[in-house]
Amino acid sequence: MLTLKIIPAIDIMDGKVVRLLRGDPKDKTIYYNDPIRIAKQWEGQGAHMLHVVDLDATLSLGDNTDIIQDMASTISVPIQVAGGRRSEDLVHDTLQYADRVVVGTLALNTKVLHKLIQRYDDRLVVSLDHNDGHIMSHGWQQATDNMIIPTMKSLVALGVTQFLITNISRDGTLSGPDIQTLSKACRISNVIASGGVSGVSDVRDVAELSPYGIILGKALYEGLITIPEALEC
């Protein structure tokens, strides 16, 4: 039986650990000033992996590459890096220090995506961020005509084996995961579930779907769940 990966999110903006409500940079909460210290803390509590998001890169406001590189060299658990990875060169550069890289907007270019899959295989995670089924791109700022489940099936046919699924209408809301969509997605491929987790019961509900992993965000930072509690699920 596969172990559900418990994956804390570390979202970095202007060098600080923050959380955004539904991806809105105007609705930001700053939690910590030292992302590396928090990475060590989550590692020490037993996290299987860290999901590190460069929000400045996502929003084309700059980047936090130096901090993320230092983090990767400091901790021993794997890290996957997301946010603004919109070119082949940037994907390659990121994988020089990270274990996995998450692409979203870039994945819409199937020709480039196919090349990346052939080169990096399961080190490449495709993020399908959606608003109640409609896939969003460019840092959740632009809606597309693509629906999540048909798109996921077509990407599996292309060779994608790792997905990050986020219903952005629930992200940072503590309103519970989108179980209906996650249930369908988990029957198609390996899925990391993200968005809406409010506590232990949500982790249990997601675990029953047998995903690859689950992202802990606001609930973790607000003290509504701990990593040891999540591990017990």
Side-chain angles (χ1 to χ4, degrees):
M1 182 178 179
L2 295 176
T3 300
L4 174 71
K5 299 288 190 293
I6 303 302
I7 310 172
I10 301 179
D11 294 1
I12 306 174
M13 178 176 276
D14 194 25
K16 299 176 174 63
V17 179
V18 308
R19 294 297 297 170
L20 306 183
L21 180 62
R22 300 187 181 94
D24 184 355
K26 297 177 183 177
D27 202 337
K28 175 179 68 177
T29 302
I30 299 173
Y31 285 98
Y32 301 100
N33 292 322
D34 187 348
I36 295 176
R37 182 174 70 84
I38 296 309
K40 291 178 180 178
Q41 180 174 314
W42 298 153
E43 176 187 35
Q45 291 182 13
H48 295 118
M49 181 187 296
L50 300 180
H51 177 67
V52 183
V53 185
D54 190 336
L55 290 174
D56 290 306
T58 298
L59 300 169
S60 301
L61 299 174
D63 69 77
N64 296 278
T65 300
D66 290 346
I67 292 173
I68 299 172
Q69 287 178 328
D70 288 346
M71 182 186 297
S73 66
T74 300
I75 64 173
S76 59
V77 297
I79 71 167
Q80 63 177 28
V81 176
R85 271 53 193 171
R86 297 177 185 140
S87 74
E88 292 180 68
D89 287 344
L90 194 48
V91 168
H92 174 76
D93 291 346
T94 302
L95 287 173
Q96 301 311 298
Y97 56 88
D99 297 273
R100 308 193 340 160
V101 65
V102 180
V103 296
T105 302
L106 185 63
L108 300 176
N109 185 330
T110 54
K111 183 177 179 180
V112 172
L113 181 62
H114 185 59
K115 288 172 59 179
L116 292 172
I117 294 166
Q118 289 182 314
R119 185 170 185 179
Y120 300 116
D121 195 23
D122 60 2
R123 296 185 71 195
L124 191 76
V125 182
V126 171
S127 178
L128 295 180
D129 306 319
H130 69 102
N131 193 344
D132 292 330
H134 292 272
I135 292 177
M136 307 291 287
S137 68
H138 295 83
W140 301 358
Q141 305 301 305
Q142 297 181 22
T144 74
D145 293 328
N146 302 318
M147 300 299 290
I148 182 168
I149 297 303
T151 299
M152 188 177 179
K153 290 178 178 178
S154 67
L155 292 175
V156 167
L158 194 67
V160 177
T161 62
Q162 308 291 327
F163 291 88
L164 171 64
I165 306 293
T166 306
N167 185 333
I168 67 173
S169 68
R170 296 172 184 254
D171 193 68
T173 66
L174 303 175
S175 59
D178 179 0
I179 295 296
Q180 182 176 7
T181 300
L182 289 172
S183 178
K184 295 176 183 177
C186 288
R187 291 196 290 266
I188 298 171
S189 187
N190 294 317
V191 167
I192 296 175
S194 174
V197 172
S198 64
V200 172
S201 63
D202 287 334
V203 175
R204 289 198 185 101
D205 290 344
V206 171
E208 290 182 359
L209 306 177
S210 299
Y212 175 85
I214 186 169
I215 302 286
L216 300 183
K218 186 173 183 178
L220 180 62
Y221 288 93
E222 292 286 339
L224 301 176
I225 189 172
T226 66
I227 292 173
E229 287 173 341
L231 290 168
E232 290 181 2
C233 298

